[in-house]
Amino acid sequence: MLLRGDAERAGLATSRIYPLIASGALTTVMPGCFARASHVAKLDAWGRFALAGRAFALSHDAFLTGWAAAMLCKLPTVGRPPARPTAIRPKAPGRGSQNLKHGRLLVADIPERHRYRRGQLRVTSPAWSVADVVRTTRLPDGLVVADAAARNNIELGALVSLMNRWPGIAKLRWVAEYAEPNAETPIESLGRFTFYEYDFPLPVANAWVGRDRPEWRVDGLLPWHWWVKEGDGAVKYNNRSDASDIVRKQNDREYALRRLGLEVLRYRWDDVYHRRGDFAQKIRAMFRERPPRKEPVRWWKEVPGVGPVEPKPEDWPSPHPTRIVLPVGWRDDLRDS
């Protein structure tokens, strides 16, 4: 990333920048901010959005936040990128929020512990960045990011009180309570969200099962009902030389799970992102066909960095619906507002 002011201080005059643009070596990210054209050409929509976010924050000496800042923490993206990035400046006399052509410039009290630097770039803390994502996007998308944050020990609870009067706080409060650090992929998070949305008994994320010892880890286990959910989104079979091996191992795995007495419900990204109602019908059928038993399947809890351990009483899910209520406005997507 090259800012005009930095270039001039380094001795690269404006008269030398524009010939580089004309030759195709540089491209304009936004007025006064340039990047290598070859680099930009390789970026997808989210990559270009992240680049625009860094340029916007640098150009206005503000703290980058929201989706673009969360991407710096290697957290997942879901759906489409916002039309414009968001940056925040601390409150000061005469300073107000602005909706500009290239981004949203907000004004807020940012505690020092949530002000970070990455080289020249100022950025809000990982927790603040994720909180802004959760507040301003649909709850399923926000849960994907919050699960990944929890897996990386990013704590959101303290942000609930700091942002208590901000738009979307109900979503942040809900996600801070129900984020699951054991959910390892976005498709697992979205699959679990369907259980919240339709008030089903909740699965245990990435539990281990086996006859006498932990043998197989499953995306989601319903131990009282003797079935598991398994997402197909992590592996693509097309154009892979080892596709047949992947399919064979998957079939062997399902055979072993069924030998333990477990039924398997497989699902894909489209099932849990675009057609959760249809997926819920399949889940409902599984519960109808497999009511809770008196004896649960043998299972072990996955502890990150440790592995499978015996579950404690508080680790056991209820065999009944949890009655967890989704927050008002959970479908609202404010990423472009």
Side-chain angles (χ1 to χ4, degrees), residues 49-246:
F49 168 75
L51 183 66
R54 294 194 294 273
F56 181 72
L58 286 168
S59 298
H60 292 84
D61 196 25
F63 289 87
L64 184 65
T65 190
W67 284 103
M71 290 177 70
L72 293 174
C73 304
K74 308 300 183 183
L75 296 175
T77 56
V78 190
R80 54 175 174 73
R84 297 173 297 164
T86 301
I88 303 177
R89 294 183 296 177
K91 285 185 176 179
R95 178 179 286 178
S97 298
Q98 297 175 274
N99 282 317
L100 303 175
K101 179 180 179 181
H102 297 286
R104 300 172 65 237
L105 196 57
L106 306 181
V107 173
D109 285 324
I110 311 175
E112 285 293 333
R113 65 183 179 277
H114 292 291
R115 302 183 187 191
Y116 280 42
R117 275 195 177 273
R118 289 176 175 262
Q120 288 183 294
L121 180 66
R122 297 204 293 175
V123 60
T124 56
S125 70
W128 187 292
S129 303
V130 172
D132 271 345
V133 167
V134 171
R135 289 190 311 100
T136 58
T137 193
R138 302 182 321 136
L139 191 60
D141 297 14
L143 184 63
V144 167
V145 181
D147 280 354
R151 192 163 62 250
N152 286 280
N153 298 312
I154 299 173
E155 173 59 48
L156 298 179
L159 273 299
V160 174
S161 57
L162 282 176
M163 298 180 171
N164 190 44
R165 296 183 180 275
W166 291 37
I169 186 62
K171 287 185 284 188
L172 177 58
R173 187 178 294 112
W174 190 94
V175 161
E177 182 172 358
Y178 296 113
E180 172 56 71
N182 272 1
E184 295 186 342
T185 63
I187 194 172
E188 291 177 30
S189 300
L190 292 171
R192 188 175 89 262
F193 180 79
T194 308
F195 287 75
Y196 291 124
E197 183 178 2
Y198 290 89
D199 195 26
F200 296 130
L202 290 177
V204 180
N206 278 292
W208 290 82
V209 294
R211 200 166 300 279
D212 301 307
R213 59 184 175 81
E215 296 179 87
W216 306 95
R217 192 169 65 156
V218 296
D219 290 354
L221 171 69
L222 285 303
W224 296 100
H225 299 81
W226 288 71
W227 67 272
V228 303
K229 70 175 184 71
E230 291 273 83
D232 278 338
V235 177
K236 296 184 182 296
Y237 306 107
N238 294 338
N239 302 318
R240 289 188 59 141
S241 60
D242 59 347
S244 61
D245 288 338
I246 294 172

Side-chain angles (χ1 to χ4, degrees), residues 288-311:
R288 187 168 54 248
E289 295 165 5
R290 289 184 164 247
R293 302 183 189 181
K294 291 183 180 179
E295 291 293 329
V297 68
R298 184 85 167 92
W299 71 281
W300 292 261
K301 178 182 178 180
E302 168 70 10
V303 176
V306 177
V309 300
E310 291 284 349

